[in-house]
Amino acid sequence: MSVTKGLGKSKEELEDMVESADAGGRKPRKTVAAILFSIGLCWSLFQIYIATPLPFITDFLLLTNLEQRAIHLAFALCLVFCYFPAFKRASTTKIPVYDLILVLASLFACLYIIANYTHIALRGGAARSEMEIIVAVVGLIVLLEATRRAVGPPLVIVGILFILYALFGRYTPEIVSHGGISTNRFIEHMWFSTEGVFGLPIGVSNSFIFLYVLFGTLLDRAGAGAYFIRLSFSLFGHLKGGPAKAAVVSSAMTGLISGSAIANVVTTGTFTIPLMKKMGFSPEKAAAIEVSSSINGQIMPPVMGAAAFIMTEYVGISYFEVIKHAFFPAILAYFGLYCIVHFEAVKLKMPTFSRAATETTLGRKILAIGMGISAVIISLCITFFLLTAIKTVCGDYTLPVIILFIAITFLFLAKVATRYENHAGNRDITLDKVMPELLPTFLSGIYFLMPVAVLIWCLMIERWSPELSVIWAIAMISIQIVFQKQVMHLMRGEKLMISEVITSSWELIQALSRGARNMASVVIAMAAAGIIVGVVSVTGLGMMMVQVVEVVSGGSIMGMLVFTAVMCIVLGMGLPTTANYIVVASVMAGPLVTLAAQNGIVIPLIAVHLFVFYFGLISGTTPPVAVDAYAGAAVAGSNPVQTCLYAFYYDLRTSLLPFFFIFNPHLLLLGFDHWWEVVVSVIAAIFAMMAFASGTQNYFLVKNRKWESLAMILIAFSLIRPGFWLDKFQDPYEAVPLAELTKTISTQPDNQMMRFKFKGENFAGEEVDRFVLLSLGDKESDGAVRLKENTGLVLATENDKVLIDDIWFGSKAQQTGIDYGWELLWAEVEVERNAKQWFYLPAFGLLFMIWYLQRNRRMADSSLEL
């Protein structure tokens, strides 16, 4: 599939752009290229091997976490120094001597850990030898240089600043100063433990990210990426602003398997941007739409730019739970962008592309959609019950029987695909062709969905671990790459050719090596991010940031959120998705949770991490380091600054979304008592995003009047946070007399919330006030016992004052920052109120009124034209 007309750069230049950004721009000659190819292949095979049970079965390469991560980083450093030139003018074919020296230094620093692991482990916190100090210093230097080449200067600068802070933090301003750490402790923490460089980020890269990026590479090599693009054009290409809508959907589909926003921009933008320009979008708007869509691909489960796996470790919940909570916000973000694109297209009265299929009546379309949905649901139910029956009946033979079932299913889908492979939907999309029909396009590549189905089944139904699930998906797509062409020949009744099996096997080997090469820069980013994580943990910077955020925000929860959002954008500038999330989560997530609790507000931890993740991604379109927007401008041949501004404007709905689910956890499928609450919240959120898009685009059915745009913004706010208006009419809490506190606590229902205000001295000797929100847990007859058992708080009355007499270490109360001897000023208990959903009614009423008024204006304009 090839579309190059109308691009700002040639196809070769675009490929070089992705190559340079994701895999390095150097192209060594034959012998060296073969060696590097073999290194990449060995790396992929190594990662696949250690993710299987084989090391435990064979007792070969049975390595500890630190040893695995050291090998993981050694491979990455080697490939980065060989593929990423030190300077723009450096040779793109020869590897200079200094790069070979850096490769040897990298191997020395990483493999020293393998060779001396027992000695390192037994030394514990004892003083490090001169050799170990040299190893660590060399390791950090080569890591920062590799980061500069593969990721860019921003992460290097941040890393160096954090290292300087760790070593010289005692000289910083008092609010963030620490007592300092010794060189020995710094070396131990950063290089010879699983806390710094070899900590959580590179651990997740070693366990999960590599395998999922490799799966995406294999799936794309099989042809699934092009299939997703064709499918999106068949769905939306014929609509008003169709190519832009197709860009939104294809970027979402590509985001399912991709970990790179820049690659998404170039891959899908090659097809969507020229078509958008032909439809009437300016080059800047066309590029901005593609950039916004591609960045949103990084929030799309199941991969989420590989950040989903880091999130499981930070939040302490399963991968399945992360995906469940993140799914609807991602869909909502795409829906908001879809509405923006639609309003832009209608506002500019853009023409539409024709469709290959003959037009049908609305009734037939609805019937076809209903039958299609029914067929999918019935197929899923049959598959579920069939596989359940196989597991029940076959016992020890379950696995081979299921493999046989998958093989038969693949053969059946391949047979179906051969009937439609010559359809327009399975050929090139060009500027001169009509948009392909949906059903033939879908069926022409339906077998590409099998590996994705295997992955989702293992994750969601079987609840296997993410690494084991993706291993089976990789096995499926690998077999598919090797035998796919032969199967298609068989389905057509053609002669089978062994030479094609050999060719396909070579393509698989190339994809394995290429997947490793694509991962090199990601691993380097993970290792560099480990420096930040290590410094935060060893210095206690996270707790210090609580004070910083509190001072800046003045104790206002909205001020905290806005300041956190700004910091996330600043810290995330120029960083790849996963490193971006690690940095902002390490520094900002903890303080936000702590301060919210101290101000009497409970924010779910997953909501906070999604909040910082979303705002970290927005940095990709925020001047001056809007790397994703600049890539889109290069594809479209547009003005980079204007493209960046348009992309940032379109991303406003993404920046609004994190505030939505902070104040309305129902959007994350959290905090609801009845299923109808989720349904109502989802419907309200959909209309809220549409209203917000209308308000910012100044268009709905016709051009908005000023008051209508403002009303649309108000409607969006009311639908997302109806509790704001409820608080104006009914207080959420009522005061409890301190003399009756124990009695009141004993009468409250299970898990009732109470809010307290305490006064006392902090560690600095300053007198501070602190709000605390605590759950009372299960109901008990004795209020004092209930308070102690469920919150860890013991109160006592002394001289007409209620003081903290005891507070359990690690309890919910102790985590809020209050301490022994603090005085309780007042207490409030949560009260029953009217449902906040009642405020949806006036919001929907106002929306209906605007729709009615604009409908009449549109009809009047139409009659005038006639």
Side-chain angles (χ1 to χ4, degrees):
M1 213 167 47
S2 175
V3 177
T4 57
K5 182 179 177 182
L7 294 174
K9 291 182 178 290
S10 67
K11 180 180 179 181
E12 291 73 19
E13 290 175 318
L14 294 174
E15 291 175 349
D16 288 342
M17 181 194 303
V18 178
E19 185 98 354
S20 178
D22 289 343
R26 184 175 285 154
K27 298 178 181 179
R29 293 175 182 172
K30 292 183 179 179
T31 303
V32 176
I35 295 173
L36 295 178
F37 179 89
S38 301
I39 292 173
L41 177 61
C42 290
W43 189 12
S44 289
L45 295 177
F46 168 76
Q47 296 296 153
I48 292 172
Y49 176 79
I50 64 173
T52 66
L54 290 176
F56 299 94
I57 296 172
T58 63
D59 200 26
F60 175 68
L61 289 180
L62 189 57
L63 306 171
T64 65
N65 285 337
L66 182 59
E67 290 174 310
Q68 286 184 16
R69 296 171 188 182
I71 295 174
H72 190 66
L73 181 58
F75 272 116
L77 288 169
C78 179
L79 292 181
V80 164
F81 286 125
C82 291
Y83 280 120
F84 288 80
F87 310 101
K88 290 183 178 180
R89 296 183 180 180
S91 174
T92 57
T93 56
K94 296 180 180 180
I95 300 178
V97 175
Y98 58 80
D99 279 347
L100 295 177
I101 294 174
L102 288 172
V103 169
L104 294 176
S106 303
L107 295 175
F108 165 70
C110 293
L111 300 185
Y112 179 90
I113 296 174
I114 311 298
N116 299 275
Y117 178 76
T118 303
H119 177 68
I120 292 170
L122 293 176
R123 288 179 68 92
R128 291 290 162 185
S129 64
E130 291 184 3
M131 176 56 72
E132 289 173 340
I133 293 176
I134 292 172
V135 167
V137 171
V138 169
L140 289 173
I141 290 174
V142 296
L143 174 58
L144 291 173
E145 170 58 15
T147 305
R148 183 189 68 82
R149 297 188 187 194
V151 183
L155 186 54
V156 177
I157 295 171
V158 172
I160 292 174
L161 290 176
F162 271 78
I163 290 174
L164 294 175
Y165 172 75
L167 296 176
F168 305 105
R170 63 172 65 90
Y171 305 112
T172 56
E174 183 179 354
I175 194 170
V176 292
S177 66
H178 62 87
I181 58 175
S182 65
T183 303
N184 179 71
R185 188 182 176 199
F186 178 79
I187 293 298
E188 162 70 25
H189 198 79
M190 281 295 159
W191 199 260
F192 294 106
S193 72
T194 54
E195 297 293 333
V197 170
F198 299 108
L200 172 65
I202 203 170
V204 176
S205 172
N206 175 64
S207 301
F208 308 123
I209 298 175
F210 186 100
L211 297 174
Y212 277 83
V213 171
L214 180 61
F215 173 66
T217 302
L218 294 174
L219 199 59
D220 186 61
R221 177 60 66 96
Y227 168 69
F228 288 153
I229 294 174
R230 294 196 302 267
L231 185 60
S232 63
F233 271 97
S234 69
L235 279 166
F236 300 101
H238 65 289
L239 301 176
K240 183 83 69 175
K245 294 174 180 177
V248 173
V249 177
S250 60
S251 293
M253 292 181 177
T254 306
L256 292 172
I257 59 174
S258 173
S260 170
I262 292 179
N264 287 359
V265 170
V266 175
T267 302
T268 59
T270 301
F271 303 96
T272 59
I273 289 176
L275 292 170
M276 281 191 272
K277 290 165 69 175
K278 185 176 182 181
M279 293 292 297
F281 285 100
S282 67
E284 288 75 20
K285 287 188 176 181
I289 290 170
E290 179 57 52
V291 169
S292 297
S293 303
S294 296
I295 288 178
N296 274 7
Q298 306 299 283
I299 65 176
M300 194 70 187
V303 177
M304 294 173 63
F309 311 108
I310 305 283
M311 216 169 281
T312 62
E313 302 294 330
Y314 275 145
V315 182
I317 60 178
S318 68
Y319 174 76
F320 175 80
E321 292 292 316
V322 170
I323 297 305
K324 182 182 76 173
H325 297 317
F327 180 75
F328 183 70
I331 297 297
L332 199 60
Y334 270 106
F335 177 75
L337 183 58
Y338 182 92
C339 291
I340 288 174
V341 167
H342 175 75
F343 292 139
E344 282 275 15
V346 176
K347 183 167 55 175
L348 297 175
K349 298 181 179 180
M350 291 182 178
T352 58
F353 282 104
S354 58
R355 194 170 190 173
T358 56
E359 291 296 326
T360 57
T361 63
L362 178 61
R364 287 181 177 273
K365 289 181 179 179
I366 295 174
L367 179 61
I369 293 172
M371 291 179 64
I373 295 174
S374 301
V376 171
I377 294 174
I378 292 172
S379 299
L380 292 175
C381 292
I382 291 174
T383 301
F384 177 79
F385 288 116
L386 185 58
L387 290 177
T388 303
I390 290 174
K391 289 191 291 185
T392 304
V393 173
C394 297
D396 294 338
Y397 299 97
T398 297
L399 183 58
V401 173
I402 288 180
I403 291 175
L404 179 62
F405 171 77
I406 292 174
I408 293 173
T409 304
F410 177 76
L411 291 174
F412 171 74
L413 296 179
K415 181 64 177 177
V416 172
T418 56
R419 299 178 182 178
Y420 299 96
E421 60 183 343
N422 292 321
H423 184 268
N426 201 32
R427 298 198 298 270
D428 292 352
I429 297 173
T430 68
L431 298 180
D432 301 321
K433 290 185 178 179
V434 295
M435 293 296 106
E437 191 179 355
L438 173 59
L439 183 60
T441 304
F442 173 70
L443 296 177
S444 68
I446 189 172
Y447 52 87
F448 287 125
L449 302 179
M450 284 289 292
V452 179
V454 168
L455 175 62
I456 294 175
W457 179 273
C458 293
L459 284 171
M460 305 301 182
I461 307 299
E462 299 295 336
R463 298 292 182 92
W464 289 352
S465 65
E467 59 265 44
L468 184 58
S469 299
V470 78
I471 283 294
W472 282 105
I474 288 174
M476 172 69 189
I477 191 61
S478 299
I479 294 171
Q480 186 170 326
I481 289 174
V482 174
F483 296 106
Q484 180 175 296
K485 293 180 181 178
Q486 293 298 305
V487 169
M488 299 303 287
H489 283 309
L490 180 65
M491 294 298 104
R492 298 189 203 103
E494 299 173 355
K495 182 180 178 180
L496 301 180
M497 292 178 287
I498 301 300
S499 60
E500 285 197 348
V501 175
I502 298 174
T503 302
S504 298
S505 300
W506 176 242
E507 290 179 356
L508 173 61
I509 293 172
Q510 287 179 312
L512 290 171
S513 181
R514 178 67 189 199
R517 183 178 172 183
N518 289 344
M519 266 301 297
S521 60
V522 178
V523 175
I524 297 300
M526 296 297 96
I531 295 175
I532 289 92
V533 176
V535 170
V536 170
S537 64
V538 78
T539 61
L541 178 61
M543 292 304 299
M544 299 173 199
M545 286 301 297
V546 173
Q547 301 179 41
V548 174
V549 176
E550 187 173 28
V551 169
V552 173
S553 65
S556 164
I557 185 62
M558 187 58 70
M560 297 176 198
L561 292 172
V562 172
F563 177 72
T564 301
V566 173
M567 288 298 297
C568 290
I569 292 174
V570 172
L571 290 173
M573 285 184 179
L575 304 187
T577 302
T578 317
N580 178 324
Y581 165 66
I582 292 169
V583 172
V584 297
S586 300
V587 179
M588 301 305 302
L592 183 57
V593 173
T594 302
L595 284 171
Q598 291 175 359
N599 283 270
I601 300 174
V602 175
I603 301 178
L605 188 57
I606 183 65
V608 172
H609 278 266
L610 287 173
F611 182 92
V612 299
F613 178 51
Y614 274 46
F615 275 104
L617 285 179
I618 291 173
S619 64
T621 58
T622 305
V625 196
V627 290
D628 302 324
Y630 296 154
V635 176
S638 59
N639 182 291
V641 176
Q642 290 184 8
T643 299
C644 179
L645 294 176
Y646 275 120
F648 180 75
Y649 180 65
Y650 292 150
D651 267 343
L652 284 177
R653 94 267 174 238
T654 304
S655 64
L656 192 67
L657 191 57
F659 289 96
F660 289 174
F661 55 65
I662 284 287
F663 291 111
N664 189 359
H666 290 174
L667 300 181
L668 303 179
L669 304 181
L670 289 170
F672 59 91
D673 297 320
H674 307 284
W675 64 268
W676 62 265
E677 292 179 314
V678 176
V679 173
V680 171
S681 294
V682 166
I683 294 173
I686 291 172
F687 279 95
M689 291 303 288
M690 182 183 68
F692 183 76
S694 171
T696 54
Q697 295 303 116
N698 198 33
Y699 196 92
F700 190 38
L701 300 181
V702 295
K703 185 177 180 181
N704 290 347
R705 289 169 177 161
K706 289 184 179 181
W707 73 267
E708 290 174 335
S709 292
L710 293 174
M712 283 294 190
I713 300 297
L714 180 63
I715 290 168
F717 175 80
S718 301
L719 292 176
I720 288 299
R721 201 189 169 198
F724 174 84
W725 302 113
L726 181 61
D727 291 344
K728 299 296 182 182
F729 292 94
Q730 287 183 306
D731 291 330
Y733 296 91
E734 65 178 3
V736 177
L738 295 184
E740 301 178 6
L741 180 61
T742 303
K743 179 181 178 180
T744 302
I745 291 175
S746 66
T747 60
Q748 297 305 310
D750 290 348
N751 300 315
Q752 185 77 336
M753 304 299 295
M754 285 197 72
R755 190 164 63 175
F756 305 87
K757 184 178 181 181
F758 291 94
K759 179 177 70 174
E761 289 187 358
N762 59 16
F763 288 112
E766 302 168 334
E767 189 171 273
V768 296
D769 294 337
R770 183 146 296 167
F771 296 93
V772 175
L773 186 66
L774 296 172
S775 172
L776 298 178
D778 296 335
K779 186 175 181 179
E780 293 188 21
S781 58
D782 191 320
V785 172
R786 183 182 186 184
L787 185 66
K788 179 174 67 174
E789 294 293 334
N790 292 291
T791 69
L793 188 62
V794 178
L795 301 176
T797 303
E798 182 178 327
N799 298 327
D800 296 329
K801 293 183 179 180
V802 179
L803 305 176
I804 298 178
D805 189 51
D806 190 18
I807 186 167
W808 291 1
F809 178 77
S811 64
K812 295 178 181 178
Q814 194 264 342
Q815 292 173 5
T816 62
I818 59 177
D819 205 352
Y820 172 80
W822 283 35
E823 180 185 358
L824 175 62
L825 300 180
W826 50 255
E828 295 179 335
V829 65
E830 191 176 20
V831 298
E832 290 188 10
R833 300 190 296 170
N834 294 324
K836 62 183 180 181
Q837 286 81 4
W838 284 111
F839 287 91
Y840 288 154
L841 296 179
F844 279 118
L846 182 57
L847 180 62
F848 176 78
M849 184 183 75
I850 294 174
W851 172 83
Y852 181 77
L853 293 173
Q854 292 203 5
R855 173 178 170 271
N856 289 340
R857 293 211 303 271
R858 186 174 67 177
M859 293 176 63
D861 292 341
S862 299
S863 62
L864 289 175
E865 291 178 2
L866 294 175

